[in-house]
Amino acid sequence: MSSLEGVVIADFSRVLAAPYATMMLGDLGAEVIKVEQPGRGDETRTWGPPHYEDEATYFLSVNRNKTSVQIDLSTRAGREQARELIARADVVVENFKPGTMKKFGLDYESLGRDDLVYCSISGFGSGKGAELPGYDLLVQAVGGLMSVTGPGPHEPVKTGVALVDVLTGLHACVGILAALRHREATGQGQLVELDLLTVLLSSMVNQSAGFTLAGAVPKPMGNRHPSIAPYEVFPTIDQPIVLAVGNDRQFRRLCSVLDVPELATDPRFVTNSDRVEHVDELFELLSARLRARPAQHWFETLTPLGVPCGPVNDVAHAFALAESLDLNPTATIGDMTLVANPIRLSRTPVTYRLRPPKLEQ
């Protein structure tokens, strides 16, 4: 038996944040019925390359364990069909522009079901920010993430994936599961609302708290950490590596391996705070030693000593690493290899029952 077996989700979502959430719930056993626009479907069906055969891998990445039904919500018949679907659902998930579902009479209040869990995801909330477009790149910009990402203040950089969407999808899962638990105890559903902006502000954790608690406005530091050193990318003879030295003991071990034990007693570097203050000098001294050997040598030498270190892998090498550690990073459905759900449950493991649906299904 799966964790969410018997839970039915009417999924009116598209693109990334909400489809990621509903896929995660589908992996946990929920029955997910994805509602798509007739003839077009989810926008991400056309977001390629790359493609798997004739399907966009973007769409395939977040839509397994779902069936698909085409409903034209602009018609009376389509809205009635949607209501029939919702009538047998435990959960509704939607991420249309705020007000869209109300226009169709399919919003939480209009449905009037006290036992329904209804999750709405927007870019900037349903109030004063309702008219703002909820695109991940836009939120990364106005939400402050790009201001702390990149080599310097004049070169803001987005993350290499739509991270805010993914984080919002995960927060949506938490909210939906909490609401289902409450319904199990009381019989009452509720409205679960999330917006990309406040999810991002929450997810920036120490950077956000530095502002709210100390008034510190963080700036981009490239690959460095504002509070830890050495904690960045270093050159080697062949490829970059990362050192993530989190305490003084690890630093002393690093200095010993690099044959510069005197750095561990140098007044500039004795404590972490000292090292952060003199991070430029530290980088030059460590780089001079690390350039002498390949990245793999340092990885194999430092890791057994408890010094966090590793090469900067591409995605292919990252999957290979996970495979070598028996982490099983992929899942197979038919002839399709997808990224595995990372949640491992001992009694009710995730399942991979359905490939992402084709539009005609």
Side-chain angles (χ1 to χ4, degrees), residues 89-90 113 115-117 178-189:
D90 302 284
R113 267 187 55 192
D115 65 336
L116 182 65
V117 173
L180 285 171
R181 175 66 184 90
H182 176 262
R183 191 183 78 157
E184 180 183 320
T186 68
Q188 296 177 320

Side-chain angles (χ1 to χ4, degrees), residues 78-100:
R79 293 190 292 274
E80 182 58 35
Q81 187 180 356
R83 289 190 193 94
E84 291 173 0
L85 171 60
I86 293 171
R88 72 180 190 89
D90 302 284
V91 180
V92 170
V93 179
E94 64 91 13
N95 63 339
F96 288 112
K97 181 179 178 181
T100 300

Side-chain angles (χ1 to χ4, degrees), residues 32 41 94 133 140 151 166 192 210 260 289 336 344:
V32 181
E94 64 91 13
Q140 287 197 37
V166 174
V192 180
V260 284
R289 309 298 297 185
M336 183 178 290
R344 289 185 282 275

Side-chain angles (χ1 to χ4, degrees), residues 39-341:
R40 289 182 52 193
D42 190 315
E43 294 99 306
T44 61
R45 288 184 179 277
T46 64
W47 286 10
H51 292 89
Y52 173 79
E53 297 179 351
D54 62 343
E55 298 177 87
T57 60
Y58 198 118
F59 174 84
L60 299 177
S61 71
V62 289
N63 284 290
R64 67 168 171 252
N65 283 333
K66 305 176 185 181
T67 56
S68 176
V69 58
Q70 298 182 59
I71 299 178
D72 186 352
L73 297 177
S74 68
T75 67
R76 180 179 299 178
R79 293 190 292 274
E80 182 58 35
Q81 187 180 356
R83 289 190 193 94
E84 291 173 0
L85 171 60
I86 293 171
R88 72 180 190 89
D90 302 284
V91 180
V92 170
V93 179
E94 64 91 13
N95 63 339
F96 288 112
K97 181 179 178 181
T100 300
M101 291 295 270
K102 184 174 183 178
K103 180 180 68 175
F104 296 141
L106 300 173
D107 58 305
Y108 178 68
E109 290 78 12
S110 298
L111 291 170
R113 267 187 55 192
D114 193 50
D115 65 336
L116 182 65
V117 173
Y118 193 109
C119 179
S120 289
I121 297 175
S122 65
F124 298 91
S126 57
K128 292 181 179 180
E131 295 301 315
L132 298 175
Y135 286 85
D136 182 278
L137 177 61
L138 174 62
V139 178
Q140 287 197 37
V142 302
L145 183 57
M146 290 177 68
S147 79
V148 299
T149 307
H154 304 297
E155 299 177 77
V157 175
K158 72 176 182 67
T159 60
V161 69
L163 187 63
V164 184
D165 276 339
V166 174
L167 289 167
T168 303
L170 290 173
H171 281 76
C173 279
V174 173
I176 291 167
L177 292 174
L180 285 171
R181 175 66 184 90
H182 176 262
R183 191 183 78 157
E184 180 183 320
T186 68
Q188 296 177 320
Q190 60 186 297
L191 177 62
V192 180
E193 294 183 283
L194 299 101
D195 66 87
L196 301 183
L197 178 58
T198 57
V199 167
L200 173 57
L201 294 174
S202 172
S203 299
M204 289 172 66
V205 288
N206 60 300
Q207 299 282 43
S208 291
F211 169 71
T212 63
L213 294 171
V217 179
K219 302 297 182 184
M221 302 180 64
N223 292 309
R224 287 180 176 168
H225 194 285
S227 307
I228 309 173
Y231 198 99
E232 58 182 297
V233 177
F234 289 87
T236 71
I237 199 171
D238 59 351
Q239 72 178 104
I241 62 167
V242 160
L243 290 178
V245 176
N247 57 55
D248 298 338
R249 183 180 66 257
Q250 292 174 353
F251 182 66
R252 289 193 295 270
R253 290 176 179 173
L254 170 66
C255 293
S256 177
V257 170
L258 296 182
D259 199 24
V260 284
E262 66 275 11
L263 294 186
T265 57
D266 188 311
R268 297 172 296 173
F269 310 129
V270 172
T271 69
N272 177 70
S273 295
D274 296 329
R275 295 191 291 274
V276 171
E277 185 176 351
H278 298 94
V279 67
D280 289 331
E281 300 115 291
L282 182 61
F283 176 83
E284 293 302 326
L285 291 167
L286 295 180
S287 295
R289 309 298 297 185
L290 292 165
R291 285 192 182 98
R293 296 290 187 91
Q296 190 64 25
H297 167 81
W298 297 122
F299 176 64
E300 294 174 356
T301 304
L302 291 168
T303 300
L305 298 177
V307 180
C309 167
V312 178
N313 284 332
D314 61 21
V315 173
H317 285 94
F319 271 92
L321 173 62
E323 290 282 6
S324 73
L325 298 175
D326 295 327
L327 295 177
N328 303 318
T330 61
T332 301
I333 306 177
D335 61 353
M336 183 178 290
T337 301
L338 295 167
V339 183
N341 188 312

